[in-house]
Amino acid sequence: MLNFSFQNSTQIHFGERQIATIANEIPADAKVLVTYGGGSIKSNGVYDQVAKALENHQWSEFSGIEPNPSYHTLMRAVEQIKAEGLDYILAVGGGSVIDGSKFIAAAACYQGDDPWDIIAKQHPVDTALPLGAVLTLPATGSETNPAAVVTRDGTKLPFYALAVRPKFAVLDPSVTLSLSPRQVSNGVVDAFVHVMEQYLTYPVNAKIQDRFAEGILLTLIEEGPKALAEESSKDLEVRANIMWAATMALNGLIGAGVPQDWASHMLGHELTAAYGVDHARSLSITLPAVMKIRREAKADKLLQYAERIWGISEGDKQQRIDQAIAATEAFFRSMQVPVRLSDIELGASDVEVLLTKLEQHQMVALGEDKKITLEVSREILNAAL
Amino acid sequence: MLNFSFQNSTQIHFGERQIATIANEIPADAKVLVTYGGGSIKSNGVYDQVAKALENHQWSEFSGIEPNPSYHTLMRAVEQIKAEGLDYILAVGGGSVIDGSKFIAAAACYQGDDPWDIIAKQHPVDTALPLGAVLTLPATGSETNPAAVVTRDGTKLPFYALAVRPKFAVLDPSVTLSLSPRQVSNGVVDAFVHVMEQYLTYPVNAKIQDRFAEGILLTLIEEGPKALAEESSKDLEVRANIMWAATMALNGLIGAGVPQDWASHMLGHELTAAYGVDHARSLSITLPAVMKIRREAKADKLLQYAERIWGISEGDKQQRIDQAIAATEAFFRSMQVPVRLSDIELGASDVEVLLTKLEQHQMVALGEDKKITLEVSREILNAAL
């Protein structure tokens, strides 16, 4: 195990009817901006529950935070905060709304000239408005972590700041029952790949981290298809397990003390930025290809993954690795997401476009060992054709 | 899964040489009381590392916090804090030192007449001195949780207060290399039983909690005996896995959203208070007996435990449960702890003594379903003879 520092201070309220707890979590004298996305919270009852919980608070709202939230949209929320003198943000939505709200929280307190420097120049964020979250789409883990991804003019970039970690997060699995099958499958696949980025590297004998990562993967494999199947798609227990799995997948715990990869994400971000591919559907294409091209460097963990996740014990090492990759792809297909660039009608010429973007963004030394050069990225993307 | 609220805000610094981080974790103007136990930290170098880290702080020390820390000892530390105007506590030791320091932290700020009321009358603890911990004996999880157990005149009782949760905890596995085999085995067994109290109840389809609990159990089973074996007793990776397992066993995570038992602990506390049995060695006697007498109520989880932890799939349900209990006892014996009252030379007359104590302490409705009456406790203790 590697040395590490770990803290996750977010207060979690999990279960049905927990949205009411925000009344006590947000200070009585706070002036709240409720941020959300396209308005689905108005049709599924979440907006009404939030409004009820905030009936004794002063609050305004900002809607229209889009998937892969855009800098320009978010800056309009910052203007509203300044104009109205607001001092607390309640993000109601999935990872994009929460990520976007983290940037709003930081930008509202930013003292420099251009808040984009928080991302572009990784300017440190010492202060931010306090942020709470009501999660409606389990996927990114953003509800308890200090990370966010923001898009500006076709460039999708992350930032990290302890100051933007949500103070509290409400996880009510019943609100996920109204998600579309596509949103459900995207969430399960996103969480799955988050685990793999922290798990499928090289062994450092971190037994707890490995077992926890495997526990999340097994749960997603068991529950994910149930959430899509007609007969169990309204099973609240299934939704609860998926919701808690997605939070644990990226709250810092399984990644503490182990090497991390994130190449599938960096490649996937380019797919999303260039072609508008859903985040999870970019990852379901890039991860299997990364597994194939990086099979030597990842061999020990691939074999452990094969055995503990898929029960694969027959065949020589290469055969077991092949089976494990095939099982991963089969799981993704069962979750109704693409596993090849050709599945989304992209081809060899698009690989060149993606490589150009990677070079522009200086993504030239990816992976747990920084050995994924542009040339290796080309191999990976070709393997994904 | 049951509804739950969960938070664990303790900042963890894990790994070799992390004791130095306390220099930054404790405010520069704090007046620190360093609390510790019998002085082993002076021979194993931990005291010197702490002193070095605190070289720019004002600090005093209080030694002599004993196993099962005594109210009278702890109140002497409170007097010292008041006499010297101290305002921060750094606990350096195992669960007893940290538990005792939690009581000191609460009692030093207590406004009522008698600080014992914090425990005896469960008076709420709204404020406490800030507390940090340097863990030297992985076992109780006290380093990141808000619970403590204090003993007064033969009575061992718990209290819980968010205000006493350590602000930070340093977990350096290398400092555990100087522990005695008895301390190592006690720590592994204590952590194992902590998991079982939160896992071996009845199923609520909490898949992540179950998998995480099983991951900790498997790690302790794998690493515990290695820490005792001559050839691997100085293996730092083994110690690191045990240390992280013990913290995760009782930091609130695996118990969030699931029923909890704790009958083995309540019975064990009486054994310790009446006969001075090491805490872990009381649990290794009570847990197998609880498993035997409560086998019907716990049948579903016992079968899951049998299969996932011990790979037991042969035989009918009762046979598999028998095998799982036998495997648990064999593991405890391999960890060199007793599994019967007769192993520590107690007999039937002592069962009556323990039952009288349980009645005195109103421990008359124990277990996840409150169905362990005094009569059921008699059955359990008789099964432990």
Side-chain angles (χ1 to χ4, degrees):
Chain A
M1 195 184 315
L2 311 178
N3 277 12
F4 66 85
S5 292
F6 171 77
Q7 183 179 40
N8 188 322
S9 56
T10 303
Q11 169 74 56
I12 289 165
H13 297 293
F14 191 102
E16 280 193 279
R17 298 174 303 282
Q18 295 275 33
I19 292 175
T21 63
I22 65 180
N24 296 321
E25 288 290 347
I26 301 177
D29 60 351
K31 296 172 200 149
V32 186
L33 182 66
V34 175
T35 53
Y36 58 100
S40 62
I41 64 167
K42 291 214 170 159
S43 55
N44 65 11
V46 172
Y47 181 91
D48 292 339
Q49 289 185 66
V50 169
K52 171 77 178 157
L54 291 179
E55 63 185 357
N56 294 318
H57 282 78
Q58 179 186 334
W59 62 284
S60 305
E61 60 186 79
F62 180 86
S63 67
I65 298 180
E66 60 277 81
N68 308 305
S70 125
Y71 171 76
H72 301 292
T73 302
L74 304 175
M75 285 308 295
R76 286 195 291 109
V78 173
E79 284 166 26
Q80 183 175 343
I81 284 170
K82 290 184 174 172
E84 299 182 13
L86 306 175
D87 58 14
Y88 203 107
I89 300 174
L90 179 65
V92 183
S96 293
V97 170
I98 301 171
D99 277 17
S101 298
K102 288 175 177 175
F103 182 76
I104 297 168
C109 297
Y110 187 69
Q111 297 296 319
D113 293 333
D114 182 359
W116 182 244
D117 288 345
I118 294 170
I119 293 177
K121 300 182 182 170
Q122 298 283 307
H123 275 196
V125 176
D126 297 324
T127 58
L129 291 187
L131 172 69
V134 176
L135 184 65
T136 60
L137 200 171
T140 70
S142 186
E143 62 278 8
T144 83
N145 72 36
V149 180
V150 173
T151 297
R152 184 177 188 176
D153 305 332
T155 299
K156 194 174 170 186
L157 291 172
F159 82 103
Y160 306 86
L162 291 177
V164 301
R165 188 197 299 276
K167 305 298 177 202
F168 69 89
V170 176
L171 282 66
D172 178 346
S174 72
V175 311
T176 73
L177 290 171
S178 61
L179 293 172
S180 69
R182 185 174 180 123
Q183 288 173 311
V184 170
S185 69
N186 281 353
V188 169
V189 170
D190 192 20
F192 188 94
V193 181
H194 288 160
V195 177
M196 294 293 270
E197 298 276 27
Q198 301 165 83
Y199 169 76
L200 197 71
T201 57
Y202 52 88
V204 293
N205 194 13
K207 288 190 160 60
I208 291 290
Q209 290 89 327
D210 279 4
R211 293 285 185 188
F212 283 17
E214 290 154 359
I216 300 170
L217 295 177
L218 290 166
T219 299
L220 292 169
I221 291 165
E222 202 169 339
E223 304 292 73
K226 286 187 204 163
L228 295 182
E230 181 74 28
E231 67 277 14
S232 49
S233 67
K234 298 301 175 194
D235 185 326
L236 190 58
E237 292 186 8
V238 167
R239 298 306 183 102
N241 283 324
I242 289 173
M243 196 169 216
W244 196 221
T247 295
M248 297 305 304
L250 200 51
N251 69 347
L253 186 63
I254 62 169
V258 298
Q260 302 192 18
D261 182 342
W262 298 103
S264 298
H265 267 73
M266 294 306 116
L267 297 170
H269 285 336
E270 300 301 350
L271 259 174
T272 298
Y275 299 101
V277 182
D278 294 1
H279 175 56
R281 287 160 181 252
S282 75
L283 302 175
S284 59
I285 292 170
T286 55
L287 176 68
V290 168
M291 293 168 85
K292 287 170 195 169
I293 300 303
R294 300 280 293 157
R295 60 190 296 149
E296 294 307 324
K298 294 179 184 292
D300 290 338
K301 290 303 278 287
L302 273 165
L303 291 165
Q304 179 176 318
Y305 168 73
E307 182 179 346
R308 293 190 184 174
I309 302 302
W310 300 108
I312 295 166
S313 55
E314 302 284 307
D316 67 24
K317 287 185 178 185
Q318 297 306 328
Q319 288 168 331
R320 280 180 278 152
I321 289 172
D322 286 338
Q323 291 175 64
I325 297 170
T328 307
E329 291 183 340
F331 168 63
F332 285 162
R333 289 198 192 277
S334 79
M335 291 306 297
Q336 304 168 11
V337 292
V339 297
R340 292 288 184 282
L341 288 169
S342 53
D343 293 338
I344 55 170
E345 293 169 9
L346 296 180
S349 63
D350 303 296
V351 169
E352 297 309 315
V353 172
L354 295 168
L355 287 167
T356 303
K357 293 287 186 184
L358 284 167
E359 188 166 18
Q360 277 174 9
H361 299 144
Q362 300 173 353
M363 299 292 168
V364 295
L366 301 176
E368 64 270 23
D369 53 10
K370 310 288 179 208
K371 289 190 178 166
I372 302 182
T373 59
L374 271 189
E375 203 41 54
V376 179
S377 285
R378 182 188 303 275
E379 286 180 58
I380 291 169
L381 291 168
N382 282 334
L385 282 170
Chain B
M1 194 183 318
L2 312 177
N3 277 13
F4 66 85
S5 292
F6 171 76
Q7 184 180 39
N8 189 322
S9 55
T10 303
Q11 170 73 57
I12 290 165
H13 298 293
F14 191 102
E16 280 193 279
R17 298 173 303 282
Q18 295 276 32
I19 291 175
T21 63
I22 65 180
N24 296 321
E25 288 290 347
I26 301 177
D29 59 351
K31 298 170 198 151
V32 185
L33 182 66
V34 175
T35 54
Y36 58 100
S40 61
I41 64 166
K42 292 215 170 158
S43 56
N44 65 12
V46 172
Y47 181 92
D48 291 339
Q49 289 185 66
V50 169
K52 172 77 177 158
L54 292 179
E55 64 184 357
N56 294 320
H57 282 79
Q58 179 185 334
W59 62 284
S60 305
E61 60 185 79
F62 179 86
S63 67
I65 298 180
E66 60 278 81
N68 307 307
S70 126
Y71 171 75
H72 302 292
T73 301
L74 304 175
M75 285 308 295
R76 287 196 290 108
V78 173
E79 285 166 26
Q80 183 176 342
I81 283 170
K82 291 184 174 174
E84 299 181 14
L86 306 175
D87 58 16
Y88 204 107
I89 301 174
L90 179 66
V92 183
S96 293
V97 170
I98 301 171
D99 277 17
S101 298
K102 288 176 178 176
F103 182 75
I104 297 167
C109 297
Y110 187 68
Q111 297 296 320
D113 293 335
D114 182 1
W116 182 244
D117 289 343
I118 293 169
I119 293 176
K121 300 182 182 171
Q122 298 284 308
H123 275 196
V125 176
D126 297 324
T127 58
L129 292 186
L131 172 68
V134 176
L135 184 65
T136 60
L137 200 170
T140 70
S142 186
E143 62 277 9
T144 83
N145 71 37
V149 181
V150 173
T151 298
R152 183 177 187 177
D153 305 332
T155 298
K156 193 174 171 187
L157 291 172
F159 83 103
Y160 307 86
L162 291 177
V164 301
R165 187 197 299 275
K167 305 298 177 203
F168 69 89
V170 176
L171 282 66
D172 178 346
S174 72
V175 311
T176 73
L177 290 171
S178 61
L179 293 173
S180 69
R182 185 174 180 123
Q183 288 173 309
V184 170
S185 69
N186 281 353
V188 169
V189 170
D190 192 19
F192 188 94
V193 181
H194 288 160
V195 177
M196 294 293 270
E197 298 277 26
Q198 301 165 85
Y199 169 75
L200 197 71
T201 58
Y202 53 86
V204 294
N205 194 13
K207 287 189 160 63
I208 291 290
Q209 291 90 327
D210 279 4
R211 293 285 184 188
F212 282 18
E214 290 154 359
I216 301 170
L217 295 176
L218 289 166
T219 300
L220 291 169
I221 290 166
E222 203 169 337
E223 304 292 72
K226 286 187 204 162
L228 295 181
E230 182 73 30
E231 67 277 14
S232 49
S233 67
K234 299 301 176 196
D235 185 327
L236 191 58
E237 291 186 9
V238 167
R239 299 307 183 102
N241 283 325
I242 290 173
M243 196 167 215
W244 196 219
T247 295
M248 296 306 303
L250 200 52
N251 70 346
L253 185 63
I254 62 168
V258 298
Q260 302 193 17
D261 181 342
W262 297 102
S264 298
H265 268 73
M266 295 304 118
L267 297 170
H269 285 336
E270 301 300 350
L271 259 174
T272 297
Y275 300 101
V277 182
D278 293 2
H279 175 57
R281 287 159 181 254
S282 75
L283 302 175
S284 59
I285 292 169
T286 55
L287 175 67
V290 167
M291 294 168 84
K292 287 170 194 169
I293 300 304
R294 300 280 293 158
R295 60 189 296 149
E296 293 307 325
K298 293 178 184 293
D300 290 339
K301 290 302 279 284
L302 273 165
L303 290 165
Q304 180 176 318
Y305 168 74
E307 183 179 345
R308 294 190 184 173
I309 302 301
W310 300 107
I312 295 166
S313 55
E314 301 285 307
D316 66 24
K317 287 185 178 184
Q318 296 306 327
Q319 288 168 332
R320 280 181 277 153
I321 290 173
D322 285 338
Q323 291 175 64
I325 297 170
T328 308
E329 291 183 341
F331 169 63
F332 286 163
R333 288 196 193 278
S334 80
M335 291 305 298
Q336 305 168 11
V337 293
V339 297
R340 293 287 184 281
L341 289 169
S342 54
D343 292 338
I344 55 170
E345 293 170 9
L346 296 179
S349 62
D350 302 296
V351 169
E352 297 308 316
V353 171
L354 295 168
L355 287 167
T356 304
K357 293 286 186 185
L358 284 167
E359 188 167 17
Q360 278 174 8
H361 299 144
Q362 301 173 351
M363 298 291 168
V364 294
L366 302 176
E368 63 271 22
D369 53 10
K370 309 289 178 206
K371 288 190 178 167
I372 302 182
T373 60
L374 271 188
E375 203 42 51
V376 179
S377 284
R378 183 189 302 276
E379 287 179 58
I380 291 168
L381 291 168
N382 282 334
L385 280 171

